[in-house]
Amino acid sequence: MISGIFDDDWVRVPDDVADGYRRAGLWDTEPLGTLTRTQAASAPESLAVVDGRHRWSYSRLSAEADSLASGLLREGLGPQDTVLVQLPNCAEFIAVLLALWRIGAVPVMGLPAHRLSELQSFADQARISAYVSSGRIDDFDQVDAADDLRRQRPDLLHIVVPGAGTSTRGDLPDDAPGQVTYEDLRAATATGSTPELPDVDPYGPALLQLSGGSTGTPKLIPRTHADYLYSVRASVPVCGITADSVYLCALPCAHNFAMSSAGILGQLVAGGTVVMAPDPSPGTAFPLIRDEKATVAGVVPPVALLWLAARAHSRSADDPLTSLRVLQVGGARFSAEAARRVPTVLGCRLQQVFGMAEGLVNYTRLDDPDDIVFTTQGRPVSPADEVRIVDDNDDDVPDGEPGHLLARGPYTIRGYFRAPEHNARSFTDDGFYRTGDIVVRSANGDITVVGRAKDQINRGGEKIASEEVENHLLAHPGILEAAVVGEPDRLLGERVVAHLILQDNDRAADFAEEKPSALTRRTREFLAARGLATYKLPDRVVVTTELPRTAVGKMSTASLRGSGPDAR
Ligand code: OOB
């Protein structure tokens, strides 16, 4: 069975450019696995991570990662092995990542919302050797998922972190073949002993992030140790992170925003504390902010709206948010109207974050004038970021005019993982990434996102490739054609609508003459049974007889989108 990563699976930055980044001091020689070593030596007792079950100091976290690393090596994992990680927000997530990095293995950053269809696609594309899960997430049985993944990859090792999610030890079959627990891995190593670790190439892949995607199979994003660490180091001062910072991780921890903007890794670089929130609701997040004195949190716009609503209704004398200095909002467009309310209602500064797992991250600065903070999505984090705004012919447009955003720089990828044909479309010949975002740049360089030129729906920060959902719908024998589009939604920004043309056959009866709610439920059940993540399931389904087409015969999704935020 072929596993892991090979040289021609990914696209390196050209040698002369890479030398430039090294000479300029942007790319370090330290791989990500060295994070926590400095603090473990200089401030061993300072608090690194807190969740519902753990309060780990830097020395404990680093020792935890070393023990795990030994266990992983014993299980036969090593450099360039890829490991699908699908964990809820928990302290072990950080220990697992550090351990994988220390042995030179490459995590694939699954999200708790992913289901079998996505997991299978990641497993195949990345040729994984192991799957790290919490045993169960809500009603999703990850032990069954591991068994399913094993049909393609019989040697798959399933590493379970019991208790991290909604699993209990009792859920897990004892001694299942190919299954080990987190405890098994770390137990066999005496705490405090440093394992013999392999050399890790700092310029090689460190993790495979997930693209939102615009095609049938969303692509994987190879980020290197040096590029990722640089993006974090550059973000730390821009986000005001210091050793005194306490970051509330309310986003799914594996998301690029939570990981690196400045996020979890920003805390580890600065020696601050990560507080893992099991969910971002005000009922969970506010008491955690109060109890742990969180100073910064990152959320997507719908969560920011919920926080605003919760505070607008109950302002108690015992304010749970007094410690919060900065709320970062990103992942999708945040309206200027809501943005303006953040300082007054939540009593903290707003920082808008416009980033992408492929690389480029923009931030409004903490000392920017209010108007910039409320109405723009910020500026690139690094002076070495190269940004172009171009028309349909790739010619630069003047400041103030909308155009396609192209990006290149010390932490933006030059190609997706094992996707040469897709790369030819998604990158210019000189290596700029075509973000698919339509933006306007001001004379000062501040960027405002005004639309999108990719077949993707942004459902409150969660990205959905229309084609992926359409392909699943077309697998139903009763469906002739399908168009999946976003429509405006007050809370989510956009929600998912599937337009269906039915076949003239018996199976079409599954969808015919149903009430709209029953039709939607039926369609969702069909897609869920195919293992599609819940956030991709249509919020509304419409049966129609004609889908609008463009002049070239392609379905015109723009006309179906109507007046959505991205149809401007
Ligand atoms: C973040 O990363 P992804 O990879 O899930 O999604 C990237 C896309 C962008 O190309 C853009 O279309 C959209 O999400 N986006 C925004 C936005 N932030 C991201 N659109 C409008 N306003 C914003 N503030 O979403 C991500 C990665 C790192 C940090 C923050 C977000």
Side-chain angles (χ1 to χ4, degrees):
M1 184 172 69
I2 301 177
S3 305
I5 297 183
F6 299 89
D7 254 5
D8 56 3
D9 286 336
W10 65 290
V11 186
R12 277 176 196 269
V13 171
D15 284 346
D16 55 328
V17 181
D19 280 344
Y21 293 152
R22 280 185 281 261
R23 274 199 308 275
L26 308 184
W27 282 6
D28 211 325
T29 52
E30 303 230 312
L32 286 164
T34 57
L35 285 175
T36 70
R37 292 236 186 263
T38 314
Q39 275 83 21
S42 63
E45 293 316 314
S46 63
L47 193 57
V49 56
V50 178
D51 71 8
R53 297 168 309 137
H54 309 97
R55 302 185 76 80
W56 285 346
S57 66
Y58 271 91
S59 79
R60 172 70 194 267
L61 173 60
S62 195
E64 197 79 18
D66 274 338
S67 309
L68 276 180
S70 300
L72 293 169
L73 289 171
R74 247 190 345 264
E75 291 291 336
L77 291 169
Q80 304 303 303
D81 278 329
T82 47
V83 175
L84 177 55
V85 177
Q86 189 191 28
L87 290 175
N89 289 3
C90 61
E92 291 95 335
F93 170 79
I94 305 181
V96 166
L97 283 192
L98 289 170
L100 290 170
W101 286 330
R102 286 181 187 180
I103 66 161
V106 179
V108 185
M109 311 300 283
L111 297 175
H114 287 135
R115 293 293 174 263
L116 206 53
S117 169
E118 289 88 14
L119 300 183
Q120 246 150 7
S121 164
F122 307 147
D124 292 346
Q125 289 185 71
R127 299 187 288 226
I128 62 167
S129 304
Y131 168 48
V132 184
S133 87
S134 52
R136 166 177 291 279
I137 294 177
D138 301 327
D139 60 350
F140 181 51
D141 188 328
Q142 295 169 299
V143 177
D144 284 351
D147 287 341
D148 282 320
L149 293 176
R150 245 183 232 117
R151 291 204 193 110
Q152 298 291 324
R153 314 199 63 77
D155 299 341
L156 185 85
L157 178 68
H158 183 200
I159 299 165
V160 191
V161 186
T166 48
S167 73
T168 60
R169 189 73 177 83
D171 282 330
L172 300 175
D174 273 338
D175 300 326
Q179 180 180 296
V180 293
T181 65
Y182 181 95
E183 281 307 315
D184 298 336
L185 281 181
R186 71 183 267 298
T189 313
T191 330
S193 71
T194 315
E196 194 68 42
L197 294 172
D199 284 338
V200 175
D201 175 8
Y203 311 117
L207 66 162
L208 292 170
Q209 266 293 1
L210 313 177
S211 74
S214 54
T215 60
T217 315
K219 303 289 179 282
L220 299 177
I221 297 170
R223 300 291 301 264
T224 67
H225 292 270
D227 92 57
Y228 214 56
L229 193 50
Y230 172 63
S231 79
V232 174
R233 290 215 160 109
S235 297
V236 161
V238 169
C239 305
I241 303 304
T242 67
D244 295 329
S245 300
V246 178
Y247 173 67
L248 184 83
C249 183
L251 293 154
C253 56
H255 192 276
N256 199 54
F257 184 4
M259 284 279 290
S260 66
S261 296
I264 295 170
L265 297 184
Q267 296 302 313
L268 300 190
V269 161
T273 303
V274 177
V275 176
M276 291 290 194
D279 72 77
S281 66
T284 304
F286 288 7
L288 274 175
I289 292 172
R290 181 195 57 214
D291 295 348
E292 300 297 341
K293 301 193 173 38
T295 60
V296 52
V299 296
V300 288
V303 171
L305 295 178
L306 289 179
W307 287 22
L308 285 168
R311 281 277 291 198
H313 294 138
S314 75
R315 276 203 148 215
S316 59
D318 165 30
D319 181 357
L321 304 187
T322 39
S323 60
L324 195 67
R325 275 179 238 139
V326 177
L327 181 68
Q328 301 179 302
V329 180
R333 182 76 199 277
F334 193 41
S335 76
E337 182 210 49
R340 275 179 220 286
R341 297 177 55 222
V342 168
T344 42
V345 177
L346 299 177
C348 63
R349 274 205 78 74
L350 168 69
Q351 177 167 58
Q352 297 215 35
V353 188
F354 163 39
M356 50 207 74
E358 288 82 355
L360 180 70
V361 188
N362 305 276
Y363 298 96
T364 56
R365 304 308 199 255
L366 297 177
D367 57 359
D368 272 345
D370 277 353
D371 203 42
I372 301 287
V373 174
F374 298 149
T375 64
T376 82
Q377 278 69 55
R379 307 185 282 286
V381 69
S382 164
D385 280 316
E386 300 170 76
V387 159
R388 288 183 61 201
I389 306 186
V390 301
D391 62 18
D392 289 346
N393 301 317
D394 282 354
D395 291 324
D396 293 285
V397 301
D399 287 341
E401 299 277 321
H404 302 274
L405 174 66
L406 309 183
R408 188 169 74 173
Y411 62 96
T412 296
I413 56 162
R414 295 290 184 130
Y416 289 101
F417 190 68
R418 296 180 67 204
E421 290 102 50
H422 187 65
N423 288 342
R425 289 195 300 280
S426 299
F427 294 82
T428 64
D429 290 344
D430 56 354
F432 276 86
Y433 166 56
R434 297 184 189 277
T435 66
D437 293 312
I438 310 286
V439 305
V440 172
R441 183 171 50 182
S442 73
N444 292 334
D446 299 301
I447 292 174
T448 305
V449 182
V450 297
R452 189 173 57 215
K454 49 189 170 188
D455 257 344
Q456 189 184 77
I457 299 161
N458 189 336
R459 188 180 187 275
E462 292 185 302
K463 315 302 177 329
I464 297 145
S466 300
E467 190 182 331
E468 185 187 13
V469 185
E470 287 163 4
N471 287 347
H472 279 282
L473 287 166
L474 292 175
H476 192 289
I479 296 177
L480 179 67
E481 286 186 62
V484 172
V485 298
E487 72 176 7
D489 182 89
R490 249 162 36 103
L491 182 62
L492 297 169
E494 281 181 279
R495 58 184 177 158
V496 182
V497 186
H499 297 253
L500 305 179
I501 296 182
L502 301 181
Q503 299 270 15
D504 185 12
N505 66 15
D506 288 355
R507 295 303 306 277
D510 284 1
F511 301 96
E513 295 178 60
E514 291 268 12
K515 279 197 252 146
S517 58
L519 176 64
T520 301
R521 181 167 36 79
R522 215 169 254 260
T523 310
R524 288 171 65 92
E525 279 166 6
F526 168 71
L527 293 171
R530 291 182 60 82
L532 204 59
T534 312
Y535 66 88
K536 297 180 185 171
L537 306 180
D539 298 292
R540 193 163 79 86
V541 177
V542 182
V543 170
T544 173
T545 50
E546 205 174 338
L547 300 175
R549 286 174 190 284
T550 61
V552 290
K554 193 180 176 312
M555 229 132 51
S556 169
T557 46
S559 62
L560 284 178
R561 263 185 225 137
S563 55
D566 296 298
R568 273 171 279 193

